[in-house]
Amino acid sequence: EEKSARKRALTAANQNAIRVPFRVMQLAHESFDLLEAMATSGNPASASDAGVGALCARAAIRGAWLNVLTNLAGAGERAAFQELLLDGRRIVEESAEREERILAAVEKQFA
């Protein structure tokens, strides 16, 4: 009974260890809307801040994604997380595109 309870506790902890960094990915991804607005139509003096924000948001997404993948490896029930994996991959890909677009907008202001 103790082994079963321990296994359930570990499973629950591991699932949380997957969902928390995934939530970080989602929140960092949401910041791109504001950062892009800052870069394209905000105060020119804050354009570089938007660029740095895009770099940081993408780094947060990539770092959290690595945590998700690491914790999924020990989850033992990877099939239960297929939708999360698909969404995570989408966020990683979109973040690269958004970062590139924001940095281009920032650099355009200084060309």
Side-chain angles (χ1 to χ4, degrees):
E1 189 176 306
E2 287 179 22
K3 287 183 181 180
S4 179
R6 182 176 186 277
K7 186 176 180 177
R8 284 192 307 273
L10 286 173
T11 298
N14 200 36
Q15 288 175 350
N16 197 43
I18 293 165
R19 288 189 173 91
V20 169
F22 182 74
R23 184 67 182 134
V24 169
M25 291 177 71
Q26 291 173 315
L27 292 171
H29 188 258
E30 290 175 12
S31 72
F32 281 118
D33 292 336
L34 175 61
L35 294 167
E36 192 161 4
M38 284 175 62
T40 58
S41 59
N43 183 337
S46 68
S48 63
D49 296 330
V52 171
L55 292 167
C56 291
R58 181 151 184 246
I61 290 167
R62 294 290 301 183
W65 180 238
L66 294 176
N67 287 328
V68 167
L69 294 175
T70 298
N71 293 322
L72 269 172
E77 52 187 61
R78 195 175 178 104
F81 292 97
Q82 286 307 307
E83 188 174 328
L84 183 140
L85 276 168
L86 291 173
D87 204 26
R89 285 187 190 106
R90 178 192 58 78
I91 290 171
V92 168
E93 289 173 12
E94 284 181 13
S95 70
E97 295 167 8
R98 300 287 303 269
E99 177 197 43
E100 188 175 317
R101 197 162 59 229
I102 291 166
L103 292 176
V106 171
E107 291 174 7
K108 182 179 177 182
Q109 290 192 26
F110 301 108

